[in-house]
Amino acid sequence: MSVILEMLKPDFLLHHAVWGSVVVGFVCPLVGVYFILRRLVFWGVALPQVSASGIAFAFMLQGLGLNFLAGGEAREKHLAIVGALVFTVGTILVLAALERRGAGVSEGRIGVLYALAGATAILFVAWNAAGETEMLGLLKGEIVAISESDFHAMLDVFAVVAACMFLFQREFTLVSYDRDMAVTLGRSVLVWDLLLYLIIGVTVSLGVMTVGPLVIFGFLVIPPMAALPWAGGMLSFSILASILGGLSAFAGFYLSYAHDLPLGPVVVCVACCVYVLSSAARLVSPRSS
């Protein structure tokens, strides 16, 4: 209990990391519920890896002398965000177009994409000897060392993402669940799809920059999976998944800090424990009979 009280103090040395992790834990499941609804869970695996590849590509360009955004740590991070966003949103649009055409095997496509993104990220890092150490730090996530300005910028962006997910929930749900009905009701499926894809791209790109690909994948998929058996509708599904993600992040940070363990793997393991407990409770719940 003393450790938790220490973490909650305003002058706690890592308070930006605590609340940054919790915010990522709250917001990412709001986006991840649509991966579950659209049966695109493997997108949650591949997109963070694609985002990491975009970060590595942007830094590789700088290492090759195309340093048009170089000149300071802040500009290097802006360059990394641009690379991650371009790669992620571009990939989402290509995948969405292929899904709408029904071409090929969806799972196979995602598998190939994941392998390609992982391989190219390593190659891009290998071709940039000048910034290899710093780039690897960004790819692993630097939430523990996040600065004051980056913390507030992250809060602003994720606040907009969360607001959009609640304000436009009816439209996002309709175009995800029943596209024919959406057209009948006069909704522009393409516009709402593009807005949802843009929000997914921003969330994944910024999340990879702050906590790394592994944690982002965990928050996108595991809390929604734990919340799904207990959801009575899309609003309760989103809220419950968000709460489980935020609590997992806080508990994971506590265990990591108290026992001097790496933050990302601990957070993911805690989220998995929550999923196991939720599944076990569902099996013995009267609702399961």
Side-chain angles (χ1 to χ4, degrees):
M1 182 58 74
S2 62
V3 175
I4 294 178
L5 293 177
E6 180 184 352
M7 288 166 50
L8 295 176
K9 290 180 179 177
D11 59 348
F12 179 54
L13 180 62
L14 302 175
H15 72 280
H16 286 155
V18 177
W19 298 116
S21 301
V22 172
V23 167
V24 174
F26 273 123
V27 175
C28 284
L30 295 175
V31 175
V33 295
Y34 290 95
F35 289 161
I36 305 296
L37 182 61
R38 295 187 174 212
R39 302 181 185 279
L40 298 173
V41 172
F42 288 115
W43 281 35
V45 180
L47 291 179
Q49 191 62 53
V50 170
S51 182
S53 180
I55 294 172
F57 179 78
F59 276 94
M60 185 197 71
L61 292 181
Q62 181 179 328
L64 293 176
L66 302 175
N67 50 352
F68 48 90
L69 279 174
E73 184 178 351
R75 287 191 172 185
E76 289 177 350
K77 290 188 176 180
H78 295 162
L79 174 64
I81 290 175
V82 170
L85 194 59
V86 168
F87 269 53
T88 306
V89 174
T91 300
I92 291 173
L93 294 178
V94 172
L95 287 176
L98 293 175
E99 291 290 340
R100 295 189 70 171
R101 293 180 57 185
V105 180
S106 177
E107 289 81 2
R109 248 190 330 263
I110 298 299
V112 171
L113 175 64
Y114 178 80
L116 177 64
T120 53
I122 294 173
L123 290 175
F124 293 153
V125 170
W127 287 333
N128 181 26
E132 184 173 334
T133 301
E134 184 177 359
M135 191 163 52
L136 288 176
L138 285 172
L139 292 177
K140 288 188 294 186
E142 290 187 324
I143 188 67
V144 175
I146 191 170
S147 67
E148 181 84 20
S149 59
D150 288 344
F151 174 72
H152 289 290
M154 184 191 73
L155 290 185
D156 293 341
V157 173
F158 278 153
V160 173
V161 168
C164 288
M165 299 313 293
F166 284 111
L167 286 174
F168 306 131
Q169 184 180 62
R170 179 176 298 180
E171 285 76 12
F172 289 154
T173 303
L174 189 58
V175 299
S176 300
Y177 184 73
D178 192 337
R179 304 174 77 84
D180 293 334
M181 178 62 74
V183 173
T184 303
L185 294 176
R187 303 293 197 279
S188 175
V189 174
L190 179 61
V191 170
W192 290 111
D193 269 349
L194 288 176
L195 180 57
L196 180 59
Y197 294 150
L198 178 61
I199 291 174
I200 291 173
V202 170
T203 304
V204 172
S205 301
L206 188 58
V208 168
M209 285 285 298
T210 53
V211 295
L214 174 64
V215 178
I216 285 301
F217 167 60
F219 280 143
L220 285 173
V221 174
I222 301 172
M225 290 292 292
L228 183 60
W230 310 99
M234 198 61 192
L235 180 60
S236 62
F237 183 23
S238 299
I239 292 175
L240 184 56
S242 178
I243 291 173
L244 292 179
L247 292 178
S248 297
F250 188 81
F253 194 97
Y254 162 73
L255 292 174
S256 172
Y257 179 70
H259 301 284
D260 192 22
L261 295 170
L263 177 60
V266 173
V267 169
V268 173
C269 287
V270 170
C272 289
C273 289
V274 172
Y275 170 65
V276 171
L277 291 174
S278 172
S279 300
R282 184 69 178 87
L283 289 176
V284 300
S285 169
R287 291 178 58 187
S288 63
S289 60

